[in-house]
Amino acid sequence: MVSRVIPVDSFDLVIFGGTGDLARRKILPGLFRRFLAGQMPDTSRIIGAARSDLDDDGYRTMIAEAIEEFGGAEKEKSEDVKAFLGRLHYVAIDAKGDGGWKELADLMRDDVVRAFYFSVAPSLFGDLAERLHSYKVAGQDARIVVEKPFGRDLDSAKALNDTLAQHFNEDQIYRIDHYLGKETVQNLMAVRFGNVLFEPLWNSHYVDHIEITVAETVSVGGRGSYYDKSGAMRDMVQNHLMQLLCLIAMEAPNEFTADAVRDEKLKVIRALQPVELHHIVRGQYEAGKDTPSYRQDVEDPRSRTESFIAMKVDIANWRWAGVPFYLRTGKMLKARTSEIAVVFKDLGHSIFPGDHARHRNILKIQLQPNEGMDLQVTIKEPGPGGMRLIDVPLDMTFADAIGEDVEDAPDAYERLIMDVIRGNQTLFMRGDEVEAAWAWTDPIIGGWEQRGDVPKTYEPGSAGPEDAMMLMHRDGRKWLELRAK
Ligand code: NAP
């Protein structure tokens, strides 16, 4: 199968923080892959901007190294890399000062899409927005892309939204959550709303419960001081897990447009119930044989920040009344996996004598490491001996089903950046969505802070604290095995 590359309009993309970790590891290697795919019109340019004293050549050398390290350039011809580097420019600029802004304004062209990626600390977003406006670098048609974290509570998110709103309209602001750029996340919508099969079953009559897991095997590592100020709830649940929950739970939008989709997601967030204290389990990893504990990693022996959280969440609407959503995410766990499991109800009555096992249909949607879905179905065990039933997966790993082109499909960042150039906001969070997510999150965090709760400890390489198992056991349920597929 030949993958279709839909061309975009010519653009000038300015990456503030163009020398930073995210730009070198994800954004520029991603743009290089889109360039190789033929998706970057000849006249398009990428302009790195940061304080470092570099010229175009110095920046090109830096990015050549980044592409070699992170972009799979060993497979590519050096002429390709050279041609791509020819699209790069650099402006030394200070977000908080006046240096570089006039040069940037002079460099921009009028007849192309102008996009500005804020790949810098959020504390600089306001300065950038203000100067983009005052130096007339960005006009009414310009787009800005802002990175997570978008605030650390409702007040700071509101303040950030207000700051950006002083100079940009909502339809110019692209709040990125790279989970939404994953192929499987979009497939989730295709599967739900493009098939007659699932939607009639997608409700409390047929679904027993839903699990959303984002598990990592890594520790907080070098990000300790940043992480300790946020924790798993702010770093993962408020954004990534919440977005996945919305896509699983939302009603069908009347059309697949940015605002129709985001309106439906917002309704889900607003229908989330406050979470009861005994429905939350927070954890911190202990030291392993050769690995430091969470508290050692963050260099605070009294830290109460969670590196793991599991919670039971209820959505108060007709579709989901009585269906628990179990969320869990954490570091130093036994497998690296992001998975959603829709667990359907038991049959109620089995006509097969001697079959006392619990057979359940489970739709598993895997986001990483391998994107794909499988549907657990019950069949007869092959061979003689009567009707013995077994459960087998109907595997829909995309790479097998669609062919090797899937490997060449854009990754999340590539897809999202191209969506910015196209002006498609469907896979970006709207300001009211982010605020509603914080409005639900704030009292939960406030609750445990007020009580001074101390997270439970868990062994590195485990599935989290024992209490997380109890969270489901108490309901007569069990988490699906934590394993990378
Ligand atoms: P980083 O490595 O610290 O890079 C920060 C960038 O900002 C550098 O290019 C730095 O260059 C530039 N900068 C700092 N102060 C500046 C100023 N006053 N004016 C202009 N440029 C300035 O950070 P990062 O990891 O790339 O993260 C960037 C953003 O992405 C953050 O908001 C982060 O939360 C978010 N994010 C990062 C990741 C990731 O994997 N790294 C993942 C998700 C979200 P100079 O020092 O040369 O000015």
Side-chain angles (χ1 to χ4, degrees):
M1 187 189 290
V2 179
S3 56
R4 274 190 319 132
V5 173
I6 302 168
V8 295
D9 292 337
S10 184
F11 59 84
D12 278 349
L13 170 63
V14 178
I15 304 171
F16 293 112
T19 57
D21 176 69
L22 184 67
R24 284 183 291 110
R25 230 161 25 83
K26 289 282 179 192
I27 304 173
L28 280 139
L31 285 163
F32 174 58
R33 287 191 290 273
R34 289 297 87 210
F35 170 79
L36 289 177
Q39 208 173 17
M40 200 178 289
D42 288 347
T43 52
S44 298
R45 300 181 309 174
I46 298 159
I47 300 157
R51 288 169 308 176
S52 301
D53 184 20
L54 294 171
D55 57 12
D56 286 354
D57 282 343
Y59 190 56
R60 287 170 185 156
T61 306
M62 174 189 271
I63 300 308
E65 284 164 13
I67 289 174
E68 197 176 325
E69 195 174 347
F70 305 112
E74 74 282 0
K75 285 193 289 187
E76 316 305 340
K77 299 190 212 83
S78 58
E79 307 92 79
D80 288 331
V81 179
K82 218 167 130 196
F84 175 71
L85 295 176
R87 308 289 184 86
L88 302 190
H89 300 269
Y90 182 81
V91 178
I93 213 163
D94 185 356
K96 285 180 163 304
D98 294 320
W101 286 97
K102 174 138 189 352
E103 289 79 349
L104 183 62
D106 291 345
L107 200 60
M108 303 303 290
R109 298 170 297 167
D110 283 334
D111 49 350
V112 297
V113 173
R114 289 186 186 195
F116 301 90
Y117 200 127
F118 290 12
S119 183
V120 294
S123 55
L124 296 177
F125 290 178
D127 297 300
L128 288 178
E130 199 183 303
R131 283 170 179 73
L132 280 172
H133 180 75
S134 61
Y135 282 91
K136 299 194 171 41
V137 185
Q140 289 289 309
D141 299 332
R143 292 150 204 176
I144 59 168
V145 184
V146 292
E147 264 297 338
K148 83 164 206 184
F150 200 86
R152 56 170 284 109
D153 52 23
L154 179 57
D155 286 347
S156 55
K158 270 187 176 161
L160 212 45
N161 274 336
D162 290 348
T163 305
L164 296 180
Q166 282 172 24
H167 304 294
F168 295 95
N169 299 323
E170 183 61 35
D171 63 7
Q172 296 181 279
I173 304 171
Y174 292 70
R175 295 175 195 79
I176 213 163
D177 181 333
H178 71 273
Y179 264 62
L180 290 181
K182 287 182 182 288
E183 188 72 22
T184 315
V185 167
Q186 291 162 81
N187 247 316
L188 186 56
M189 290 189 271
V191 165
R192 278 196 64 190
F193 304 128
N195 293 284
V196 74
L197 203 61
F198 295 106
E199 201 46 30
L201 307 179
W202 213 261
N203 56 54
S204 60
H205 297 298
Y206 297 98
V207 175
D208 180 76
H209 68 276
I210 291 177
E211 293 177 33
I212 303 178
T213 297
V214 177
E216 296 179 276
T217 50
V218 293
S219 66
V220 294
R223 290 174 71 222
S225 61
Y226 160 79
Y227 190 92
D228 201 43
K229 289 190 208 86
S230 61
M233 185 73 177
R234 287 191 171 98
D235 195 47
M236 298 298 292
V237 177
Q238 186 274 345
N239 39 58
H240 304 320
L241 275 82
M242 177 86 79
Q243 288 295 323
L244 298 180
L245 175 88
C246 285
L247 294 173
I248 280 278
M250 72 184 192
E251 298 298 315
N254 62 331
E255 54 182 1
F256 192 62
T257 56
D259 275 333
V261 170
R262 297 185 299 177
D263 285 346
E264 294 306 333
K265 282 163 60 195
L266 181 61
K267 285 184 205 160
V268 175
I269 302 175
R270 289 192 172 146
L272 289 174
Q273 291 299 285
V275 182
E276 292 175 42
L277 166 64
H278 63 287
H279 289 162
I280 303 170
V281 178
R282 296 193 310 133
Q284 270 180 354
Y285 55 81
E286 296 164 351
K289 214 157 65 102
D290 308 307
T291 52
S293 68
Y294 175 79
R295 288 179 172 191
Q296 287 166 332
D297 268 338
V298 302
E299 295 175 8
D300 178 358
R302 298 158 66 89
S303 168
R304 292 183 172 181
T305 306
E306 73 286 353
S307 61
F308 173 97
I309 188 163
M311 56 205 300
K312 177 179 167 183
V313 173
D314 293 311
I315 300 176
N317 63 21
W318 274 26
R319 185 186 284 268
W320 296 117
V323 179
F325 285 67
Y326 297 95
L327 316 183
R328 67 176 161 171
T329 181
K331 299 205 173 278
M332 282 299 247
L333 297 175
K334 74 191 231 199
R336 173 177 174 258
T337 179
S338 299
E339 185 176 69
I340 302 168
V342 181
V343 181
F344 291 91
K345 287 190 171 166
D346 290 347
L347 258 185
H349 169 71
S350 172
I351 63 166
F352 303 107
D355 177 49
H356 303 299
R358 173 184 256 192
H359 300 289
R360 283 193 150 174
N361 296 122
I362 303 176
L363 179 66
K364 291 186 197 160
I365 302 138
Q366 179 99 22
L367 281 87
Q368 63 187 22
N370 300 311
E371 297 200 46
M373 302 195 192
D374 77 50
L375 178 63
Q376 179 174 297
V377 291
T378 303
I379 61 164
K380 177 189 168 297
E381 190 175 352
M387 289 293 279
R388 286 192 314 273
L389 303 186
I390 52 166
D391 297 328
V392 293
L394 270 182
D395 197 333
M396 298 182 271
T397 308
F398 301 141
D400 296 343
I402 302 170
E404 55 198 33
D405 281 350
V406 168
E407 285 187 14
D408 296 330
D411 85 355
Y413 274 97
E414 296 168 48
R415 181 190 318 276
L416 293 172
I417 294 169
M418 288 299 124
D419 277 358
V420 174
I421 307 297
R422 284 192 200 96
N424 183 350
Q425 290 184 302
T426 311
L427 300 176
F428 296 83
M429 294 176 293
R430 211 168 51 191
D432 52 2
E433 250 184 277
V434 177
E435 289 184 15
W438 280 121
W440 177 75
T441 312
D442 271 5
I444 299 173
I445 297 176
W448 73 57
E449 280 179 354
Q450 211 173 23
R451 288 188 305 270
D453 288 356
V454 181
K456 311 278 178 202
T457 56
Y458 61 95
E459 273 180 44
S462 69
E466 196 51 37
D467 287 24
M469 310 302 131
M470 290 309 298
L471 184 69
M472 285 191 85
H473 282 185
R474 278 202 302 264
D475 296 342
R477 300 185 175 102
K478 201 169 156 223
W479 292 100
L480 295 181
E481 177 86 22
L482 197 58
R483 65 191 163 91
K485 202 180 152 199

